[in-house]
mmCIF file of all heavy atoms in Angstrom:
data_model
loop_
_atom_site.group_PDB
_atom_site.id
_atom_site.type_symbol
_atom_site.label_atom_id
_atom_site.label_comp_id
_atom_site.label_asym_id
_atom_site.label_seq_id
_atom_site.Cartn_x
_atom_site.Cartn_y
_atom_site.Cartn_z
ATOM 1 N N VAL A 15 -22.327 49.899 -8.775
ATOM 2 C CA VAL A 15 -23.298 50.684 -8.007
ATOM 3 C C VAL A 15 -23.157 50.386 -6.522
ATOM 4 O O VAL A 15 -23.151 51.276 -5.688
ATOM 5 C CB VAL A 15 -24.739 50.409 -8.505
ATOM 6 C CG1 VAL A 15 -25.760 51.029 -7.571
ATOM 7 C CG2 VAL A 15 -24.908 50.941 -9.921
ATOM 8 N N CYS A 16 -23.027 49.119 -6.212
ATOM 9 C CA CYS A 16 -22.907 48.721 -4.814
ATOM 10 C C CYS A 16 -21.670 49.334 -4.173
ATOM 11 O O CYS A 16 -21.680 49.712 -3.016
ATOM 12 C CB CYS A 16 -22.850 47.190 -4.732
ATOM 13 S SG CYS A 16 -22.864 46.556 -3.058
ATOM 14 N N GLY A 63 -8.659 15.544 -1.620
ATOM 15 C CA GLY A 63 -8.194 16.926 -1.603
ATOM 16 C C GLY A 63 -7.688 17.365 -0.244
ATOM 17 O O GLY A 63 -8.279 18.231 0.381
ATOM 18 N N PRO A 78 0.786 13.021 16.169
ATOM 19 C CA PRO A 78 0.096 11.805 16.607
ATOM 20 C C PRO A 78 0.470 11.470 18.055
ATOM 21 O O PRO A 78 1.591 11.740 18.488
ATOM 22 C CB PRO A 78 0.623 10.737 15.642
ATOM 23 C CG PRO A 78 0.982 11.510 14.419
ATOM 24 C CD PRO A 78 1.492 12.837 14.922
ATOM 25 N N GLU A 79 -0.482 10.951 18.775
ATOM 26 C CA GLU A 79 -0.343 10.593 20.196
ATOM 27 C C GLU A 79 -0.469 11.792 21.131
ATOM 28 O O GLU A 79 -0.312 11.642 22.340
ATOM 29 C CB GLU A 79 0.972 9.849 20.477
ATOM 30 C CG GLU A 79 1.125 8.558 19.704
ATOM 31 C CD GLU A 79 0.078 7.517 20.102
ATOM 32 O OE1 GLU A 79 -0.197 7.350 21.301
ATOM 33 O OE2 GLU A 79 -0.467 6.886 19.180
ATOM 34 N N GLY A 82 -6.066 14.782 22.202
ATOM 35 C CA GLY A 82 -7.131 15.184 21.294
ATOM 36 C C GLY A 82 -8.023 16.266 21.876
ATOM 37 O O GLY A 82 -8.496 17.144 21.153
ATOM 38 N N TYR A 88 -8.361 24.085 21.240
ATOM 39 C CA TYR A 88 -7.667 25.050 20.377
ATOM 40 C C TYR A 88 -8.527 25.413 19.168
ATOM 41 O O TYR A 88 -8.691 26.588 18.848
ATOM 42 C CB TYR A 88 -6.318 24.469 19.941
ATOM 43 C CG TYR A 88 -5.648 25.247 18.843
ATOM 44 C CD1 TYR A 88 -5.019 26.464 19.102
ATOM 45 C CD2 TYR A 88 -5.658 24.789 17.527
ATOM 46 C CE1 TYR A 88 -4.412 27.188 18.088
ATOM 47 C CE2 TYR A 88 -5.054 25.502 16.511
ATOM 48 C CZ TYR A 88 -4.439 26.705 16.793
ATOM 49 O OH TYR A 88 -3.846 27.419 15.789
ATOM 50 N N LEU A 90 -11.791 25.160 18.745
ATOM 51 C CA LEU A 90 -12.964 25.926 19.175
ATOM 52 C C LEU A 90 -12.595 27.390 19.416
ATOM 53 O O LEU A 90 -13.328 28.296 19.006
ATOM 54 C CB LEU A 90 -13.583 25.317 20.435
ATOM 55 C CG LEU A 90 -14.365 24.020 20.234
ATOM 56 C CD1 LEU A 90 -14.698 23.391 21.586
ATOM 57 C CD2 LEU A 90 -15.634 24.272 19.426
ATOM 58 N N PHE A 94 -13.649 27.331 15.005
ATOM 59 C CA PHE A 94 -14.147 26.133 14.322
ATOM 60 C C PHE A 94 -15.357 25.576 15.063
ATOM 61 O O PHE A 94 -15.503 25.763 16.274
ATOM 62 C CB PHE A 94 -13.061 25.045 14.302
ATOM 63 C CG PHE A 94 -11.975 25.281 13.296
ATOM 64 C CD1 PHE A 94 -10.930 26.152 13.559
ATOM 65 C CD2 PHE A 94 -11.986 24.620 12.078
ATOM 66 C CE1 PHE A 94 -9.919 26.354 12.642
ATOM 67 C CE2 PHE A 94 -10.982 24.810 11.150
ATOM 68 C CZ PHE A 94 -9.946 25.687 11.437
ATOM 69 N N PRO A 99 -18.823 13.487 11.843
ATOM 70 C CA PRO A 99 -19.478 13.324 10.551
ATOM 71 C C PRO A 99 -19.817 11.897 10.130
ATOM 72 O O PRO A 99 -20.691 11.692 9.306
ATOM 73 C CB PRO A 99 -18.464 13.915 9.573
ATOM 74 C CG PRO A 99 -17.151 13.611 10.207
ATOM 75 C CD PRO A 99 -17.407 13.766 11.687
ATOM 76 N N CYS A 100 -19.130 10.918 10.667
ATOM 77 C CA CYS A 100 -19.289 9.555 10.154
ATOM 78 C C CYS A 100 -20.345 8.744 10.894
ATOM 79 O O CYS A 100 -20.759 7.699 10.410
ATOM 80 C CB CYS A 100 -17.957 8.806 10.230
ATOM 81 S SG CYS A 100 -16.616 9.649 9.392
ATOM 82 N N GLU A 102 -22.177 6.128 12.949
ATOM 83 C CA GLU A 102 -21.905 4.729 13.304
ATOM 84 C C GLU A 102 -20.780 4.109 12.471
ATOM 85 O O GLU A 102 -20.143 3.165 12.908
ATOM 86 C CB GLU A 102 -23.177 3.895 13.145
ATOM 87 C CG GLU A 102 -24.280 4.281 14.119
ATOM 88 C CD GLU A 102 -23.874 4.047 15.568
ATOM 89 O OE1 GLU A 102 -23.270 2.992 15.864
ATOM 90 O OE2 GLU A 102 -24.148 4.930 16.397
ATOM 91 N N ARG A 103 -20.562 4.619 11.252
ATOM 92 C CA ARG A 103 -19.518 4.049 10.388
ATOM 93 C C ARG A 103 -18.132 4.180 10.999
ATOM 94 O O ARG A 103 -17.294 3.303 10.842
ATOM 95 C CB ARG A 103 -19.521 4.717 9.012
ATOM 96 C CG ARG A 103 -20.687 4.327 8.169
ATOM 97 C CD ARG A 103 -20.650 4.913 6.782
ATOM 98 N NE ARG A 103 -19.401 5.568 6.418
ATOM 99 C CZ ARG A 103 -19.285 6.427 5.420
ATOM 100 N NH1 ARG A 103 -20.333 6.729 4.693
ATOM 101 N NH2 ARG A 103 -18.143 6.977 5.132
ATOM 102 N N GLN A 111 -14.977 22.420 11.376
ATOM 103 C CA GLN A 111 -15.211 23.203 10.166
ATOM 104 C C GLN A 111 -15.140 24.684 10.498
ATOM 105 O O GLN A 111 -15.683 25.139 11.498
ATOM 106 C CB GLN A 111 -16.570 22.866 9.579
ATOM 107 C CG GLN A 111 -16.867 23.638 8.321
ATOM 108 C CD GLN A 111 -18.123 23.147 7.627
ATOM 109 O OE1 GLN A 111 -18.404 21.958 7.617
ATOM 110 N NE2 GLN A 111 -18.886 24.064 7.057
ATOM 111 N N GLN A 114 -16.365 31.045 6.477
ATOM 112 C CA GLN A 114 -16.459 32.503 6.437
ATOM 113 C C GLN A 114 -17.604 32.931 5.526
ATOM 114 O O GLN A 114 -18.007 32.198 4.625
ATOM 115 C CB GLN A 114 -15.176 33.117 5.881
ATOM 116 C CG GLN A 114 -14.028 33.092 6.828
ATOM 117 C CD GLN A 114 -12.821 33.805 6.244
ATOM 118 O OE1 GLN A 114 -12.495 33.628 5.084
ATOM 119 N NE2 GLN A 114 -12.171 34.604 7.063
ATOM 120 N N ALA A 126 -10.170 16.862 9.831
ATOM 121 C CA ALA A 126 -10.675 15.573 10.315
ATOM 122 C C ALA A 126 -9.562 14.892 11.098
ATOM 123 O O ALA A 126 -8.379 15.041 10.776
ATOM 124 C CB ALA A 126 -11.117 14.699 9.153
ATOM 125 N N GLY A 133 -8.002 8.895 24.102
ATOM 126 C CA GLY A 133 -8.106 10.336 23.869
ATOM 127 C C GLY A 133 -6.970 10.915 23.054
ATOM 128 O O GLY A 133 -6.952 12.112 22.768
ATOM 129 N N TRP A 137 -4.602 10.165 13.853
ATOM 130 C CA TRP A 137 -4.217 10.841 12.625
ATOM 131 C C TRP A 137 -5.007 12.138 12.514
ATOM 132 O O TRP A 137 -5.992 12.332 13.220
ATOM 133 C CB TRP A 137 -4.430 9.964 11.376
ATOM 134 C CG TRP A 137 -5.822 9.409 11.234
ATOM 135 C CD1 TRP A 137 -6.237 8.161 11.594
ATOM 136 C CD2 TRP A 137 -6.979 10.072 10.702
ATOM 137 N NE1 TRP A 137 -7.588 8.008 11.326
ATOM 138 C CE2 TRP A 137 -8.063 9.151 10.771
ATOM 139 C CE3 TRP A 137 -7.217 11.330 10.170
ATOM 140 C CZ2 TRP A 137 -9.340 9.472 10.334
ATOM 141 C CZ3 TRP A 137 -8.498 11.653 9.736
ATOM 142 C CH2 TRP A 137 -9.532 10.721 9.811
ATOM 143 N N LYS A 139 -5.899 15.406 9.333
ATOM 144 C CA LYS A 139 -5.717 15.953 7.991
ATOM 145 C C LYS A 139 -6.664 17.123 7.801
ATOM 146 O O LYS A 139 -7.691 17.228 8.470
ATOM 147 C CB LYS A 139 -5.945 14.891 6.922
ATOM 148 C CG LYS A 139 -7.312 14.241 6.947
ATOM 149 C CD LYS A 139 -7.379 13.107 5.936
ATOM 150 C CE LYS A 139 -8.645 12.300 6.103
ATOM 151 N NZ LYS A 139 -8.698 11.201 5.120
ATOM 152 N N LYS A 145 -14.849 29.872 -1.673
ATOM 153 C CA LYS A 145 -16.077 30.026 -2.432
ATOM 154 C C LYS A 145 -15.933 31.215 -3.370
ATOM 155 O O LYS A 145 -15.445 32.270 -2.982
ATOM 156 C CB LYS A 145 -17.247 30.291 -1.474
ATOM 157 C CG LYS A 145 -18.425 29.395 -1.726
ATOM 158 C CD LYS A 145 -19.663 29.884 -1.047
ATOM 159 C CE LYS A 145 -19.726 29.617 0.408
ATOM 160 N NZ LYS A 145 -21.005 29.951 0.998
#
Side-chain angles (χ1 to χ4, degrees):
V15 170
C16 186
E79 300 295 317
Y88 168 76
L90 286 169
F94 284 81
C100 305
E102 294 297 317
R103 288 184 10 198
Q111 180 171 324
Q114 286 184 316
W137 54 262
K139 58 186 171 180
K145 230 195 283 187

